[in-house]
């Protein structure tokens, strides 16, 4: 039986959720009605306004408003004018934390993962608790993973570039 993750799961801090999402099943209802299920293989945590690598580090803006919503909200943004990034908002309202989904089984890299899922801005702000097009299902906790510094955030400086907040599921 497939069980969606509940609100309590998402209301934890981003580092905890990023680690716990490894191995969970990302589910997407495709436009043709088919259901695609992919285990999550790589994540990155962003922990709010103090985190210089987090979009919320510049405060509340039109772009980051969704990060200030309750955990379990979907945050989508475009980079390089061509790649949609899928993020899961964590924590509680007004504590803007999020987890970037960097990889799903068979698709390494956040742009490739989002493309495989047919992700675009239309899902920005959706709730993973109630959305019928995108959700995450429970699976056994991943015990074999690697934690490394996040990728592509050199602009954030120390200590943010060295935080081991990127989590990669090891081969099963």
């Amino acid at each position: 039986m497939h069980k969606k993750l509940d609100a309590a799961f998402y209301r934890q801090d981003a580092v905890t959720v990023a680690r716990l999402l490894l191995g969970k099943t990302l589910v997407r209802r495709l436009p043709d009605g088919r259901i695609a299920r992919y285990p999550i293989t790589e994540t990155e945590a962003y922990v709010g306004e103090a985190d210089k690598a987090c979009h919320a580090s510049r405060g509340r803006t039109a772009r980051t408003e969704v990060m200030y919503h309750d955990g379990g909200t979907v945050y989508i943004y475009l980079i390089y004018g061509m790649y949609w990034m899928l993020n899961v908002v964590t924590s509680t309202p007004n504590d803007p934390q999020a987890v970037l989904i960097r990889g799903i089984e068979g698709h390494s890299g956040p742009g490739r993962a989002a493309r495989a899922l047919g992700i675009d801005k239309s899902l920005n702000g959706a709730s993973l608790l109630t959305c019928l097009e995108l959700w995450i299902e429970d699976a056994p906790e991943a015990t074999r993973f690697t934690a490394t510094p996040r990728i592509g955030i050199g602009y954030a400086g120390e200590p943010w570039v060295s935080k081991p907040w990127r989590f990669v599921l090891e081969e099963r």
Side-chain angles (χ1 to χ4, degrees):
M1 180 154 139
H2 305 288
K3 181 180 178 236
K4 280 186 180 183
L5 296 175
D6 64 15
F9 178 90
Y10 297 112
R11 288 185 181 136
Q12 302 176 84
D13 68 273
V15 175
T16 299
V17 173
R19 184 180 53 77
L20 292 176
L21 279 173
L22 292 176
K24 302 293 189 234
T25 306
L26 189 54
V27 184
R28 176 75 160 114
R29 183 181 310 274
L30 301 169
D32 65 7
R34 288 181 300 126
I35 302 290
R37 286 185 163 81
Y38 295 95
I40 297 171
T41 58
E42 186 178 348
T43 60
E44 267 183 4
Y46 293 87
V47 299
E49 292 177 350
D51 180 351
K52 297 300 181 199
C54 182
H55 288 169
S57 68
R58 292 188 177 97
R60 204 172 199 140
T61 66
R63 179 185 190 190
T64 64
E65 176 61 32
V66 85
M67 291 185 72
Y68 290 81
H69 293 191
D70 202 9
T73 303
V74 176
Y75 171 43
I76 308 283
Y77 63 89
L78 189 67
I79 63 166
Y80 309 126
M82 60 195 301
Y83 299 111
W84 294 105
M85 300 287 110
L86 171 60
N87 296 260
V88 175
V89 173
T90 67
S91 193
T92 55
N94 299 310
D95 182 15
Q97 299 187 44
V99 175
L100 172 64
I101 304 299
R102 288 197 57 83
I104 56 176
E105 190 169 84
H107 304 279
S108 181
R112 289 184 184 120
R115 188 176 319 127
L117 294 164
I119 299 295
D120 62 25
K121 184 120 182 166
S122 68
L123 289 168
N124 190 49
S127 170
L128 292 169
L129 303 175
T130 60
C131 185
L132 299 177
E133 298 173 8
L134 183 72
W135 63 92
I136 301 175
E137 295 174 346
D138 203 4
E141 185 173 335
T143 56
R144 297 179 51 103
F145 64 90
T146 303
T148 72
R150 297 174 288 181
I151 295 174
I153 61 160
Y155 59 86
E158 290 296 343
W160 306 107
V161 297
S162 298
K163 299 277 187 190
W165 290 348
R166 174 178 166 250
F167 301 94
V168 182
L169 186 65
E170 292 182 7
E171 295 292 322
R172 302 178 200 201

